Amino acid sequence: MKRSLFIERVRSELRTRHYSLQTEKTYLYWIRHFILFNDKRHPEVMGNADIERFLSYLAVNRKVSAATQNQALCAIVFLYRYIIQRDTENLSYGFAKRPQNVPTVLAPNEVTAILNQLKGKYWLITALLYGCGFRIHEALSLRIKDIDPHNRSIFIFRGKGRKDRYTLLPEILVASIQHQMQEAQHVHEADLAEGYGSTSVPPALYRKYGKALTDFAWQYLFPSTTRCQHPYDNYICRHHLHSTAYAKHLRKAVKASNIHKRVTAHTFRHSFATNLLLNGSDIRTVQELLGHSDLRTTEIYTHVIGERRAGTRSPVDSLF
């Protein structure tokens, strides 16, 4: 079987099993890399020794992180389990243990300093990340219909782990959100005038709703600046703003605000959780707002605020 046909077979299997488009891209990247590393041999004729040699190369020569190494191994396990139909057993290398890092958080004055360097939709995205505890994908994929100003709530459709949830809508952001809705409506009306107007949705929804996807309610709150071809169904649509566009503006804002911390979009989610706990919110409420399945994931923020060290005084403080 030609390599291109083999890769298409893997792609088809990923889509049949409803893996996300990002996971599809990632798995295909590592499967291609695995095949090229092993002199373009077919995976059917390769075994544990070849997989172990590849994982060792990633860890020793490329010095990838534990998370990246695990990602590559997941792709290879998928390849052998569902395409080659052979389980990878008795490997010398299992999944690498990821370090338990305490997350970086921002103080309220630091968040304010960064917000002061942003404008328009990039200001609003940052305010939503900090005010609602969104992951960046959740914020960018918000649709008009997901926002309920009357009940002060926002619906998150298929967050991490394909779970739906509701979170709070900060009252102070309602006016800015309504302004952004007007901007999105102008973009949508221009699309309709040119004979387009469909938004991008998962394949199952496209088949279910069809022409209804040209309704304004289905449009993204933060639409992309250009239209594109849908990767599954090939119709012309408008996707949401890409995360790299936001990251570019955030980097500039952090640099201009003179904050010497590593700040990403996810930092605002960490800061949201920490701030709620500092102000007395119940940890299970925070767990629900963040969409964590396991309370232990939420408990990491108790380390950030020093809950387990509350009242403990350093010996040096008694010297002066």
Side-chain angles (χ1 to χ4, degrees), residues 235-286:
Y235 64 96
I236 303 300
C237 60
R238 190 175 289 275
H239 200 50
H240 58 68
L241 186 73
H242 200 277
S243 59
T244 54
Y246 171 74
K248 181 179 178 180
H249 282 79
L250 177 60
R251 281 194 300 270
K252 291 180 179 178
V254 172
K255 185 176 181 180
S257 60
N258 203 31
I259 292 174
H260 304 297
K261 292 180 179 179
R262 182 178 178 272
V263 179
T264 66
H266 215 67
T267 305
F268 295 101
R269 176 174 163 87
H270 296 320
S271 304
F272 164 84
T274 305
N275 193 274
L276 287 182
L277 291 171
L278 280 170
N279 285 285
S281 293
D282 178 74
I283 193 168
R284 291 198 177 274
T285 301
V286 178

Coordinates of all heavy atoms in Angstrom, one line a residue, residues 235-286:
Y235 N -17.6 22.5 2.4 CA -18.3 23.7 2.1 C -17.6 24.9 2.6 O -16.7 24.9 3.4 CB -19.7 23.7 2.7 CG -19.8 23.6 4.2 CD1 -19.9 24.8 5.0 CD2 -19.7 22.4 4.9 CE1 -20.0 24.8 6.4 CE2 -19.7 22.4 6.3 CZ -19.8 23.6 7.0 OH -19.9 23.6 8.4
I236 N -17.9 26.1 2.0 CA -17.2 27.3 2.3 C -17.8 27.9 3.6 O -19.1 28.0 3.6 CB -17.2 28.4 1.2 CG1 -16.6 27.8 -0.1 CG2 -16.5 29.7 1.6 CD1 -15.1 27.4 0.1
C237 N -17.1 28.2 4.6 CA -17.6 28.6 5.9 C -16.7 29.6 6.5 O -15.6 29.9 6.0 CB -17.8 27.4 6.8 SG -16.2 26.5 7.2
R238 N -17.1 30.1 7.7 CA -16.3 31.0 8.4 C -16.0 30.4 9.8 O -17.0 30.1 10.5 CB -16.9 32.4 8.6 CG -15.9 33.5 9.2 CD -16.5 34.8 9.2 NE -16.6 35.4 7.9 CZ -15.6 36.1 7.2 NH1 -14.5 36.2 7.8 NH2 -15.8 36.6 6.1
H239 N -14.8 30.2 10.1 CA -14.4 29.6 11.4 C -14.2 30.7 12.4 O -14.4 31.9 12.1 CB -13.1 28.8 11.2 CG -12.9 27.8 12.3 ND1 -13.8 26.8 12.6 CD2 -11.8 27.5 13.0 CE1 -13.3 26.1 13.6 NE2 -12.1 26.4 13.8
H240 N -13.8 30.3 13.6 CA -13.5 31.3 14.6 C -12.1 31.8 14.5 O -11.2 31.2 13.8 CB -13.8 30.8 16.0 CG -13.1 29.6 16.4 ND1 -11.7 29.6 16.6 CD2 -13.5 28.3 16.6 CE1 -11.3 28.4 16.9 NE2 -12.4 27.6 17.0
L241 N -11.8 32.9 15.2 CA -10.4 33.4 15.3 C -9.5 32.4 15.7 O -9.8 31.6 16.6 CB -10.4 34.6 16.3 CG -9.1 35.4 16.4 CD1 -8.9 36.3 15.1 CD2 -9.2 36.3 17.6
H242 N -8.3 32.3 15.1 CA -7.3 31.3 15.5 C -6.5 31.7 16.7 O -6.3 32.9 17.0 CB -6.3 31.1 14.3 CG -5.6 29.7 14.4 ND1 -4.5 29.5 15.2 CD2 -5.8 28.6 13.8 CE1 -4.1 28.3 15.1 NE2 -4.9 27.7 14.2
S243 N -6.2 30.7 17.6 CA -5.5 30.9 18.8 C -4.2 31.6 18.7 O -3.7 32.4 19.5 CB -5.4 29.6 19.6 OG -4.6 28.7 18.9
T244 N -3.5 31.4 17.5 CA -2.2 32.0 17.3 C -2.3 33.5 17.1 O -1.4 34.2 17.5 CB -1.5 31.4 16.1 OG1 -2.4 31.5 14.9 CG2 -1.1 29.9 16.3
A245 N -3.4 33.9 16.6 CA -3.6 35.4 16.4 C -3.8 36.0 17.8 O -3.2 37.1 18.0 CB -4.9 35.6 15.6
Y246 N -4.5 35.4 18.7 CA -4.6 35.9 20.0 C -3.3 35.9 20.8 O -2.9 36.8 21.4 CB -5.6 35.1 20.8 CG -5.7 35.5 22.3 CD1 -6.2 36.7 22.7 CD2 -5.1 34.7 23.3 CE1 -6.2 37.1 24.0 CE2 -5.0 35.0 24.6 CZ -5.6 36.3 25.0 OH -5.6 36.6 26.3
A247 N -2.5 34.8 20.6 CA -1.3 34.6 21.3 C -0.3 35.7 20.9 O 0.5 36.2 21.8 CB -0.7 33.2 21.0
K248 N -0.3 36.1 19.7 CA 0.6 37.2 19.2 C 0.3 38.5 19.9 O 1.2 39.2 20.4 CB 0.4 37.3 17.7 CG 1.3 38.4 17.1 CD 1.1 38.4 15.6 CE 1.9 39.5 14.9 NZ 1.7 39.6 13.4
H249 N -1.0 38.8 20.0 CA -1.3 40.1 20.7 C -1.1 40.0 22.2 O -0.7 41.0 22.8 CB -2.8 40.4 20.5 CG -3.1 41.0 19.1 ND1 -3.2 40.2 18.0 CD2 -3.3 42.2 18.7 CE1 -3.4 40.9 16.9 NE2 -3.5 42.2 17.4
L250 N -1.3 38.8 22.8 CA -1.0 38.6 24.2 C 0.5 38.8 24.5 O 0.8 39.5 25.5 CB -1.5 37.3 24.7 CG -1.2 36.9 26.2 CD1 -1.9 37.9 27.1 CD2 -1.7 35.5 26.5
R251 N 1.4 38.2 23.7 CA 2.8 38.4 24.0 C 3.2 39.8 24.0 O 4.0 40.3 24.8 CB 3.6 37.6 22.9 CG 3.7 36.1 23.1 CD 4.7 35.5 22.2 NE 4.5 35.7 20.8 CZ 3.7 34.9 20.1 NH1 3.2 33.8 20.6 NH2 3.6 35.1 18.8
K252 N 2.7 40.6 23.0 CA 3.0 42.0 23.0 C 2.5 42.8 24.2 O 3.2 43.7 24.7 CB 2.4 42.7 21.7 CG 3.1 42.2 20.4 CD 2.4 42.9 19.2 CE 3.0 42.4 17.9 NZ 2.3 43.0 16.7
A253 N 1.3 42.4 24.7 CA 0.7 43.1 25.8 C 1.5 42.8 27.1 O 1.7 43.7 27.9 CB -0.7 42.6 26.0
V254 N 1.9 41.5 27.2 CA 2.7 41.1 28.4 C 4.0 41.8 28.4 O 4.5 42.4 29.5 CB 2.9 39.6 28.5 CG1 3.9 39.2 29.6 CG2 1.6 38.9 28.6
K255 N 4.7 41.9 27.3 CA 6.0 42.6 27.2 C 5.8 44.1 27.5 O 6.6 44.7 28.3 CB 6.6 42.4 25.8 CG 8.0 43.0 25.6 CD 8.5 42.7 24.2 CE 9.9 43.3 24.1 NZ 10.5 43.0 22.7
A256 N 4.8 44.7 27.0 CA 4.5 46.2 27.2 C 4.2 46.5 28.7 O 4.4 47.5 29.2 CB 3.4 46.7 26.3
S257 N 3.6 45.5 29.4 CA 3.1 45.7 30.8 C 4.3 45.4 31.7 O 4.1 45.6 33.0 CB 1.9 44.8 31.1 OG 2.3 43.4 30.9
N258 N 5.4 45.0 31.2 CA 6.6 44.8 32.0 C 6.4 43.8 33.2 O 6.9 43.9 34.3 CB 7.1 46.1 32.6 CG 8.6 46.1 33.0 OD1 9.4 45.4 32.4 ND2 9.0 46.8 34.1
I259 N 5.7 42.7 32.8 CA 5.5 41.6 33.8 C 6.5 40.5 33.5 O 6.5 40.0 32.3 CB 4.0 41.1 33.7 CG1 3.1 42.2 34.2 CG2 3.9 39.8 34.5 CD1 1.6 41.8 34.0
H260 N 7.2 40.1 34.5 CA 8.3 39.1 34.2 C 7.9 37.7 34.7 O 8.5 37.1 35.5 CB 9.6 39.5 35.0 CG 10.0 40.9 34.6 ND1 10.5 41.3 33.4 CD2 10.1 42.1 35.4 CE1 10.8 42.5 33.3 NE2 10.6 43.0 34.5
K261 N 6.8 37.3 34.1 CA 6.3 35.9 34.3 C 6.0 35.3 32.9 O 5.7 36.1 31.9 CB 5.0 35.9 35.1 CG 5.2 36.3 36.5 CD 3.8 36.3 37.3 CE 4.0 36.7 38.7 NZ 2.6 36.7 39.4
R262 N 6.0 34.0 32.8 CA 5.6 33.4 31.6 C 4.0 33.3 31.5 O 3.4 32.6 32.3 CB 6.1 31.9 31.5 CG 5.8 31.3 30.1 CD 6.4 29.9 30.1 NE 6.0 29.2 28.8 CZ 4.9 28.5 28.7 NH1 4.0 28.3 29.7 NH2 4.6 27.9 27.5
V263 N 3.5 34.2 30.7 CA 2.0 34.3 30.6 C 1.5 33.8 29.3 O 1.9 34.2 28.2 CB 1.6 35.8 30.8 CG1 0.1 36.0 30.7 CG2 2.1 36.4 32.1
T264 N 0.6 32.8 29.4 CA -0.1 32.3 28.2 C -1.6 32.5 28.5 O -2.0 33.0 29.5 CB 0.2 30.8 28.0 OG1 -0.4 30.1 29.1 CG2 1.7 30.5 27.9
A265 N -2.4 32.1 27.5 CA -3.9 32.2 27.7 C -4.3 31.4 28.9 O -5.3 31.8 29.6 CB -4.6 31.8 26.4
H266 N -3.7 30.3 29.1 CA -4.1 29.4 30.2 C -3.8 30.0 31.6 O -4.4 29.6 32.6 CB -3.4 28.0 30.1 CG -4.3 26.9 30.5 ND1 -5.5 26.5 29.8 CD2 -4.2 26.1 31.6 CE1 -6.0 25.5 30.5 NE2 -5.3 25.2 31.5
T267 N -2.9 30.9 31.6 CA -2.5 31.6 32.9 C -3.7 32.3 33.5 O -3.9 32.3 34.7 CB -1.4 32.6 32.7 OG1 -0.2 31.9 32.1 CG2 -0.9 33.2 34.0
F268 N -4.6 32.9 32.6 CA -5.7 33.6 33.1 C -6.8 32.6 33.7 O -7.5 32.9 34.7 CB -6.4 34.4 32.0 CG -5.5 35.5 31.5 CD1 -4.8 35.3 30.3 CD2 -5.3 36.7 32.2 CE1 -3.9 36.3 29.9 CE2 -4.5 37.7 31.8 CZ -3.8 37.5 30.6
R269 N -6.8 31.4 33.2 CA -7.7 30.3 33.8 C -7.2 30.0 35.2 O -8.0 29.8 36.1 CB -7.7 29.1 32.8 CG -8.5 27.9 33.4 CD -8.6 26.9 32.3 NE -8.9 25.6 32.7 CZ -10.2 25.1 32.9 NH1 -11.2 25.9 32.6 NH2 -10.4 23.9 33.3
H270 N -5.9 29.8 35.3 CA -5.3 29.5 36.6 C -5.6 30.7 37.6 O -5.9 30.4 38.8 CB -3.8 29.3 36.5 CG -3.3 28.2 35.7 ND1 -4.0 27.0 35.8 CD2 -2.3 28.0 34.8 CE1 -3.4 26.1 34.9 NE2 -2.3 26.7 34.4
S271 N -5.5 31.9 37.1 CA -5.7 33.0 38.0 C -7.1 33.2 38.4 O -7.5 33.6 39.5 CB -5.2 34.3 37.2 OG -3.9 34.2 36.8
F272 N -8.1 32.8 37.5 CA -9.5 32.8 37.8 C -9.8 31.8 39.0 O -10.4 32.2 39.9 CB -10.2 32.3 36.5 CG -11.7 31.9 36.8 CD1 -12.7 32.8 36.8 CD2 -12.0 30.5 36.9 CE1 -14.0 32.4 37.0 CE2 -13.3 30.1 37.1 CZ -14.3 31.1 37.1
A273 N -9.3 30.6 38.9 CA -9.5 29.6 39.9 C -8.9 30.0 41.3 O -9.5 29.9 42.3 CB -8.9 28.3 39.5
T274 N -7.7 30.5 41.2 CA -7.0 31.0 42.4 C -7.7 32.1 43.1 O -7.9 32.1 44.3 CB -5.5 31.4 42.1 OG1 -4.9 30.3 41.4 CG2 -4.8 31.7 43.4
N275 N -8.1 33.1 42.3 CA -8.8 34.2 42.8 C -10.2 33.8 43.5 O -10.5 34.4 44.6 CB -9.1 35.3 41.7 CG -9.5 36.6 42.3 OD1 -10.7 36.8 42.5 ND2 -8.6 37.5 42.5
L276 N -10.9 32.9 42.9 CA -12.2 32.4 43.5 C -11.9 31.8 44.9 O -12.6 32.0 45.8 CB -12.9 31.4 42.6 CG -13.5 32.0 41.3 CD1 -14.2 30.9 40.5 CD2 -14.5 33.1 41.6
L277 N -10.9 30.9 44.9 CA -10.6 30.3 46.2 C -10.1 31.3 47.3 O -10.5 31.1 48.4 CB -9.5 29.2 46.0 CG -10.0 28.0 45.2 CD1 -8.8 27.1 44.8 CD2 -11.0 27.2 45.9
L278 N -9.3 32.2 46.9 CA -8.9 33.3 47.8 C -10.0 34.1 48.4 O -10.0 34.5 49.5 CB -7.9 34.2 47.1 CG -6.4 33.7 47.0 CD1 -5.6 34.6 46.1 CD2 -5.8 33.6 48.4
N279 N -11.1 34.2 47.6 CA -12.2 35.0 48.0 C -13.3 34.1 48.7 O -14.5 34.6 48.8 CB -12.8 35.8 46.9 CG -11.9 37.0 46.5 OD1 -11.9 38.0 47.2 ND2 -11.2 36.9 45.5
G280 N -13.0 32.9 49.0 CA -13.9 32.0 49.8 C -14.8 31.1 49.0 O -15.7 30.5 49.6
S281 N -14.7 31.0 47.7 CA -15.6 30.1 46.9 C -15.3 28.7 47.3 O -14.2 28.3 47.6 CB -15.3 30.3 45.4 OG -15.8 31.6 45.0
D282 N -16.3 27.9 47.3 CA -16.2 26.5 47.6 C -15.5 25.8 46.5 O -15.7 26.1 45.3 CB -17.6 25.9 47.7 CG -17.6 24.4 48.0 OD1 -17.3 24.0 49.1 OD2 -17.9 23.6 47.0
I283 N -14.6 24.9 46.8 CA -13.7 24.2 45.8 C -14.5 23.4 44.8 O -14.2 23.3 43.7 CB -12.6 23.4 46.5 CG1 -11.6 23.0 45.5 CG2 -13.2 22.1 47.2 CD1 -10.3 22.4 46.1
R284 N -15.7 22.9 45.2 CA -16.5 22.1 44.3 C -17.2 23.0 43.3 O -17.5 22.6 42.2 CB -17.5 21.2 45.1 CG -16.9 20.1 45.8 CD -17.8 19.0 46.2 NE -17.2 17.9 46.9 CZ -16.6 16.9 46.3 NH1 -16.6 16.8 45.0 NH2 -16.0 15.9 47.0
T285 N -17.5 24.2 43.7 CA -18.1 25.2 42.8 C -17.0 25.6 41.7 O -17.3 25.6 40.6 CB -18.5 26.5 43.5 OG1 -19.5 26.1 44.5 CG2 -19.1 27.5 42.6
V286 N -15.8 25.8 42.2 CA -14.7 26.1 41.3 C -14.5 24.9 40.3 O -14.3 25.1 39.1 CB -13.4 26.4 42.1 CG1 -12.2 26.7 41.1 CG2 -13.6 27.6 43.0

